[in-house]
């Protein structure tokens, strides 16, 4: 039996703006409002406004919250100060990645775990299962928040015009409570576009008023509404992984080149430690395929699942691919055999419908903003 996708508090507003909607991870979300390229370039040069209310928020509270999160996740949550955030992962016992997460520490014994939309239920169920024996509570807060993001070089100026929060003091990967356009919000600064920007967690009933206020404040700065399509090309240019593409249950953090998020030195045992210890050793002695960037010499666009080839042999697989508005060429991320992973490696191609299109191997990210 099919079920209708969930809608965000801004659904009617998106439709009034003429958005092309799509089912994404069980949510009806705006794919684009007009031109994907224009939306992408607006974020790179001015600012874009995103509805990210499909993300999954999970509250973890109680005296044992930090011990529990250190057990359940691969990172060291004990070193996260109040008002700060950390990128981390939750894995299976065999080390396979269930999701990548951002964990915000809101108070001494209060954390907000933000999961990807498609994995929110899995993360919630897994945390609920793992909390047994800890003096902590896991709470599903997915309906408690709408999430609006302002991304781009003009985003600080736009947000400063509607809040008295100390944005200059808000570091990258931090979050603080404040009021934005009269609306109580958790103001975060993490981003998934390669640009500076802010995420605003608010009650769903305040979402429309906040969107309207940000639209008005952003008009002189060239801010426009942006959909998921340009969010994907922005994160691809910035070399940021997407779950289901660069991250899967078939890969450990070490396979994904993100072994740095695993903190073996933290106190106590954690789920997946044994498997990840073995994965770390394998990565040292027999490097797994490495995640690299590929830039097309021609105009044909690679897509996820396409084979990467060299010397007539398959040496890897594309995980994400798209035209890059910033580079003006098709680009891709791919896992390739270590022998072909060095930037500048020649003779590498992508099998696009039977034709081996030439590609240049480059270091990630493709794009890095000027500070």
């Amino acid at each position: 039996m099919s079920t209708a996708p969930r809608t965000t508090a801004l659904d009617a507003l998106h439709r009034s703006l003429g958005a092309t909607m799509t089912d994404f991870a069980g949510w009806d979300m705006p794919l684009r409002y007009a031109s994907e390229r224009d939306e992408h370039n607006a974020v790179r040069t001015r600012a874009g406004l995103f509805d990210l209310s499909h993300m999954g928020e999970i509250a973890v509270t109680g005296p044992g919250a930090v011990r529990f999160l250190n057990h359940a996740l691969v990172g060291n949550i004990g070193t996260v100060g109040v008002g700060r955030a950390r990128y981390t992962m939750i894995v299976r016992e065999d080390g396979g990645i269930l999701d990548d997460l951002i964990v915000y520490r809101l108070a001494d014994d209060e954390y907000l775990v933000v999961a990807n939309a498609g994995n929110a239920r899995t993360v919630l169920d897994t945390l609920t299962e793992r909390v047994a024996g800890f003096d902590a509570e896991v709470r599903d807060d997915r309906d408690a928040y709408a999430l609006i993001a302002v991304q781009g070089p003009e985003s600080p100026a736009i947000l400063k015009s509607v809040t008295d929060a100390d944005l200059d003091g808000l570091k990258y990967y931090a979050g603080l409570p404040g009021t934005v356009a009269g609306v109580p919000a958790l103001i975060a600064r993490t981003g998934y576009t390669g640009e500076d920007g802010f995420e605003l967690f608010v009650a769903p009933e305040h979402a429309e008023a906040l969107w309207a206020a940000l639209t008005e404040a952003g008009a002189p700065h060239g801010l426009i509404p942006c959909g998921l399509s340009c969010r994907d090309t922005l994160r691809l240019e910035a070399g940021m992984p997407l779950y289901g593409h660069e991250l899967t249950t078939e890969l450990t953090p070490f396979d994904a080149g993100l072994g740095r998020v695993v903190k073996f030195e933290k106190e106590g045992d954690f789920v997946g430690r044994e498997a990840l210890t073995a994965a770390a050793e394998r990565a040292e002695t027999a490097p797994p395929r490495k995640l690299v960037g590929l830039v097309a010499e021609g105009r044909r666009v690679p897509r996820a699942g396409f084979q990467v080839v060299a010397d007539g042999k398959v040496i890897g697989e594309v995980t994400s691919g798209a035209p890059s508005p910033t580079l003006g060429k098709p680009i891709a991320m791919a896992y390739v055999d270590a022998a072909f992973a060095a930037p500048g490696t020649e003779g590498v191609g992508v099998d696009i419908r039977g034709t081996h299109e030439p590609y240049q191997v480059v270091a990630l990210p493709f794009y890095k903003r000027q500070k």
Side-chain angles (χ1 to χ4, degrees):
M1 188 177 71
S2 64
T3 55
R6 299 178 69 184
T7 57
T8 77
L10 295 166
D11 183 71
L13 188 148
H14 297 317
R15 295 174 191 279
S16 74
L17 293 172
T20 298
M21 306 296 287
T22 188
D23 185 340
F24 181 81
W27 289 80
D28 213 7
M29 297 296 294
L31 187 64
R32 73 183 73 83
Y33 296 85
S35 159
E36 296 168 8
R37 179 177 293 271
D38 288 349
E39 292 173 22
H40 180 109
N41 290 335
V43 175
R44 284 278 177 260
T45 60
R46 303 183 305 277
L49 188 60
F50 294 85
D51 178 10
L52 305 179
S53 302
H54 59 315
M55 300 295 281
E57 295 87 3
I58 302 162
V60 178
T61 59
V66 68
R67 282 186 57 248
F68 160 61
L69 288 171
N70 268 352
H71 165 76
L73 310 179
V74 302
N76 188 352
I77 308 305
T79 59
V80 180
V82 173
R84 299 307 304 266
R86 177 144 306 158
Y87 176 79
T88 187
M89 294 183 183
I90 183 169
V91 302
R92 305 187 304 195
E93 283 284 4
D94 66 1
I97 302 168
L98 287 171
D99 202 13
D100 59 336
L101 312 166
I102 296 179
V103 178
Y104 296 91
R105 187 173 190 178
L106 306 182
D108 284 347
D109 297 333
E110 183 180 355
Y111 296 82
L112 182 67
V113 178
V114 181
N116 286 295
N119 296 331
R121 171 50 65 180
T122 298
V123 173
L124 175 65
D125 290 348
T126 304
L127 289 177
T128 301
E129 178 184 313
R130 292 179 183 178
V131 78
F134 289 91
D135 188 9
E137 178 188 351
V138 174
R139 185 177 71 241
D140 182 359
D141 266 5
R142 289 177 295 169
D143 292 334
Y145 292 103
L147 178 56
I148 296 173
V150 187
Q151 293 282 304
E154 292 293 316
S155 58
I158 294 169
L159 203 57
K160 280 179 182 178
S161 70
V162 289
T163 184
D164 57 3
D166 178 18
L167 299 185
D168 291 334
L170 186 65
K171 296 181 172 63
Y172 188 52
Y173 265 74
L176 61 84
T179 301
V180 182
V183 171
L186 170 64
I187 306 169
R189 197 173 201 166
T190 57
Y192 190 59
T193 61
E195 300 297 338
D196 193 8
F198 302 88
E199 298 76 43
L200 307 171
F201 295 83
V202 300
E205 60 267 26
H206 294 148
E208 282 200 21
L210 180 57
W211 183 282
L214 291 167
T215 298
E216 182 179 351
H221 299 271
L223 175 138
I224 63 172
C226 295
L228 294 181
S229 185
C230 84
R231 185 171 163 83
D232 191 47
T233 52
L234 288 160
R235 70 91 194 169
L236 177 54
E237 288 183 351
M240 295 178 171
L242 176 64
Y243 194 89
H245 290 255
E246 289 72 42
L247 309 174
T248 71
T249 52
E250 303 306 309
L251 298 171
T252 72
F254 293 94
D255 296 323
L258 291 167
R260 65 182 180 276
V261 306
V262 181
K263 302 301 181 185
F264 293 113
E265 72 278 8
K266 63 181 175 177
E267 287 185 22
D269 197 14
F270 64 91
V271 177
R273 177 192 279 273
E274 187 175 337
L276 291 176
T277 300
E281 292 171 354
R282 283 197 307 273
E284 286 290 327
T285 57
R289 283 182 166 176
K290 292 189 176 180
L291 188 64
V292 301
L294 299 174
V295 177
E297 294 182 16
R299 308 305 303 173
R300 299 185 74 185
V301 179
R303 298 298 182 190
F306 285 14
Q307 292 179 334
V308 183
V309 294
D311 302 326
K313 298 178 182 177
V314 176
I315 60 157
E317 184 175 302
V318 171
T319 53
S320 297
S324 166
T326 304
L327 275 64
K329 299 177 180 179
I331 59 173
M333 286 198 283
Y335 282 109
V336 302
D337 294 344
F340 297 88
T345 299
E346 296 183 352
V348 172
V350 176
D351 186 338
I352 301 181
R353 298 179 181 86
T355 302
H356 291 184
E357 298 287 338
Y359 271 75
Q360 180 185 2
V361 178
V362 301
L364 292 170
F366 301 96
Y367 166 86
K368 203 166 190 179
R369 71 183 171 98
Q370 300 299 311
K371 297 294 184 184

